[in-house]
Amino acid sequence: GLNQSFASQKRSIEQTEFLFVYFCFAVNDLGGDFTGVGKSSLAADKVVEEIRRKGGKAVANYDSVEEGEKIVKTALDAFGRIDIVINNAGILRDRSFSRISDGDWDIIQRVHLRGSFLVTRAAWDHMKKQNFGRIIMTSSASGIYGNFGQANYCAAKLGLLGLSNCLAVEGKKNNIHCNTIAPTAGSRMTQTVLPEDLLEALKPDYVAPLVLWLCHESCEENGGLFEVGAGWIGKLRWERSLGALVRQKTQPMTPEAVKANWTKICDFDNATKPRSIQESIGSIVEALNKINSGEGVSANQTSHAASAAPSGFAGAIGHKLPPSYASYAELDTIMYALGVGASVKEPKDMKFIYEGSSDFSCLPTFGVILAQKSVLGGGLAEIPGLSINLAKILHGEQYLELYKPIPRAGKLRCETVVADIMDKGSGLVVLLDVYSYSGEELICYNQFSIFVVGSGGFGGKRTSDKAKATVAVPDRPPDAVLSDTTSLNQAALYRLSGDWNPLHIDPNFASLAGFDKPILHGLCTFGFSARHILQQFADNDVSRFKAIKVRFAKPVYPGQTLQTEMWKEGNRIHFQTKVQGTGDIVISNAYVDLVPVSAASAKTPSEGAGLQSTLVFEEIGRRLQHIGQEVVKKVGAVFEWHITKGENTAAKWTIDLKTGSGKVYQGPAKGSADVTITLSDEDFMEVVLGKLDPQKKSQEDQMILRSEEFKQMVECTVII
């Protein structure tokens, strides 16, 4: 009934505004002539009558499209909701450009462009609330190509395309799709200029089926432009020449350079098809990078075929990028830790943000910062057989493995190789393996999974045995959940670690990319999540961190709260990260592999190895298993021992006689110690054996203990 009632109406598709509610229609027609003069209810009434006669439901509205709220209200009053808006109202005031009056110009803009804006705006919030909407804008070949005597009409009709493209971007997250048609069909506007047989061949029946399909809930088309008429439909897209760079770094840009490159600028032999403003602006950003690096290359890298044929990738797979070098100091590791949420509010974080901390350490995920220069430095654009525009890449997945804790400062050499390329249909995936060395020692290994939008479909393999696989989280409630609220300045802080993409700081650039405001770096969220796991399951012991694998799912806005849900299965911690409040999963199918405690101790035999005091502390730990609760009640303090050998600290031990049944562990106190004691290994044994008065020794070393602290220390040694 819907198809017949709409397809069979033979009157103006240029002068009618249709609002569909399931199989219910609100039909708007002011009823004037093709110039916009006059008013009558007959036009709308005729369509309503025809719809009802064929079994549909319809109501008429006779307001001008400049009263869009009244038109939408008619639909809502009659049917309770609004799902589809077809903006089709239009008139003509054709004049050659020199003869167009202000009135001729203004009335065309008001009816075509402003009218569509007002009707759509009135329906927009209703569509957002119900999370569904389909909008059709009616443009014209005149707007697309231009036509003599229709400057006002052409401008309005192409303006509708711009409006449609914007709404397609803004409405996508609420399942509101907006498309544009440029129909050629008979109407009240053409019945006086086209012969009867041509009017019959161009009847609206041959336009309506396209509109119905674009409005169907299963149609995923969004932001499309279609010419349609006489039973033929074609989709249009923008095309752009490869272009040319016409300036060099530190050199002025001149018209002579433009002239010299004009043929190349206008050469469409290698034309590309940009599909978004991100691609357009991204190419300019890429060109700027090339200029700054002194390279003279094309400004347009938005080809949707990455070297087209699979054979073209033969030179890409296994290709090694030039080595990059990452020099960093303690300040850089501190900056990174702050960027991923480490804070003075959490005492255990001090080891990551205070270089004077006795166990100052580098967060394990800092390893991605050391390796990312290969990805951010433009090296991808130089891979042979592969044309990649940095504006089209998405960071899909990340794997990081450590072979030893990252030094607190140093210089690493990073070697990058293209491990594999996969065809995912809608794009291709490039696997980049990055190995980071300190001298000849391998410190860490990264695998970046880069998704290149629009470059797939070349018939390549979909999977790779070289890819580090993600793993689904267990089907049970998480074992632990930690949350952190990101700062409004989080992205601004994190970018100081080297990712300068304006998407994360510039509201205007973020808007162009389709976001309400700048978004947080995916690797920043990655750092938050890894820090939660290290804190929850490894007591912030960086030597226990082995590897992490994540899949990036959705963006995060600075100021949102990140919630890491964790499942422990042996030494693997599965996790996913959500935005608290929305429930959106932003990191999925992720895990962290931890080194077992015993293995972690074995990895650092130098600390405490060969010291007599080590045996004593281990014996204290065994004794506490039997008498710990009694001693804790009596002492109630935490002691941190720094054991020296020569002039250097050889080991640190903590005796916790304050919590639970007490415990002894190697390393600094997890929190704050009540007493910190520094003794040589030899003096410690002398104290233990009763051969040395600890109070006298401490006075000689100018370490002054309050009497209460001294008593507690003596109580501690009695345990032995």
Side-chain angles (χ1 to χ4, degrees), residues 350-575:
M350 289 299 291
K351 66 185 295 183
F352 303 124
I353 59 177
Y354 175 43
E355 75 286 355
S357 176
S358 57
D359 59 342
F360 178 73
S361 303
C362 180
L363 275 170
T365 46
F366 184 68
V368 299
I369 301 298
L370 303 174
Q372 70 182 8
K373 187 176 181 181
S374 300
V375 179
L376 300 179
L380 291 178
E382 304 306 317
I383 298 174
L386 194 63
S387 178
I388 294 180
N389 173 17
L390 296 183
K392 291 175 55 185
I393 69 172
L394 301 173
H395 194 172
E397 298 179 5
Q398 181 70 31
Y399 178 80
L400 166 67
E401 183 172 354
L402 300 187
Y403 298 97
K404 65 174 297 181
I406 298 172
R408 58 195 287 168
K411 181 178 182 179
L412 271 61
R413 182 182 79 259
C414 299
E415 297 183 355
T416 304
V417 61
V418 180
D420 213 343
I421 296 175
M422 293 172 282
D423 183 1
K424 296 296 186 179
S426 60
L428 63 81
V429 172
V430 181
L431 295 181
L432 289 176
D433 287 346
V434 185
Y435 300 86
S436 301
Y437 297 87
S438 176
E440 297 303 317
E441 184 178 20
L442 180 61
I443 301 297
C444 63
Y445 156 71
N446 280 270
Q447 184 176 86
F448 292 82
S449 179
I450 306 300
F451 186 81
V452 186
V453 179
S455 296
F458 54 85
K461 60 185 180 181
R462 296 187 64 84
T463 60
S464 171
D465 57 4
K466 297 178 182 179
K468 299 295 182 180
T470 54
V471 182
V473 299
D475 186 17
R476 57 182 172 85
D479 299 320
V481 178
L482 288 182
S483 298
D484 253 327
T485 300
T486 62
S487 163
L488 291 175
N489 289 318
Q490 205 71 57
L493 185 58
Y494 181 84
R495 69 190 297 268
L496 299 181
S497 290
D499 189 337
W500 302 100
N501 190 335
L503 175 65
H504 306 292
I505 189 69
D506 187 339
N508 293 326
F509 195 92
S511 177
L512 293 175
F515 297 102
D516 296 335
K517 52 188 174 182
I519 62 173
L520 196 61
H521 307 67
L523 283 176
C524 180
T525 304
F526 168 88
F528 266 83
S529 303
R531 192 171 51 76
H532 285 164
I533 293 166
L534 194 67
Q535 176 182 328
Q536 179 70 29
F537 292 103
D539 278 332
N540 274 358
D541 183 353
V542 297
S543 68
R544 292 200 57 204
F545 192 98
K546 178 176 175 59
I548 180 172
K549 172 69 179 185
V550 306
R551 173 179 294 162
F552 299 107
K554 283 190 174 183
V556 175
Y557 290 105
Q560 290 184 316
T561 297
L562 295 172
Q563 177 177 296
T564 306
E565 299 176 343
M566 298 166 271
W567 292 260
K568 188 177 189 303
E569 293 193 345
N571 291 305
R572 172 163 287 184
I573 311 300
H574 298 269
F575 74 95

Side-chain angles (χ1 to χ4, degrees), residues 584-656:
D584 289 340
I585 297 175
V586 294
I587 288 181
S588 66
N589 294 26
Y591 64 82
V592 165
D593 285 335
L594 296 175
V595 176
V597 177
S598 57
S601 300
K603 286 172 70 176
T604 55
S606 59
E607 183 160 334
L611 299 178
Q612 299 179 73
S613 55
T614 299
L615 300 175
V616 177
F617 286 111
E618 291 175 347
E619 178 61 23
I620 294 174
R622 283 189 287 271
R623 298 279 183 94
L624 282 178
Q625 294 177 12
H626 304 289
I627 61 173
Q629 289 184 344
E630 177 184 340
V631 177
V632 167
K633 291 180 181 177
K634 188 174 184 179
V635 179
V638 176
F639 300 88
E640 183 174 309
W641 295 80
H642 294 190
I643 305 301
T644 63
K645 194 74 173 179
E647 296 182 355
N648 300 316
T649 299
K652 295 177 184 178
W653 287 88
T654 298
I655 303 177
D656 183 351

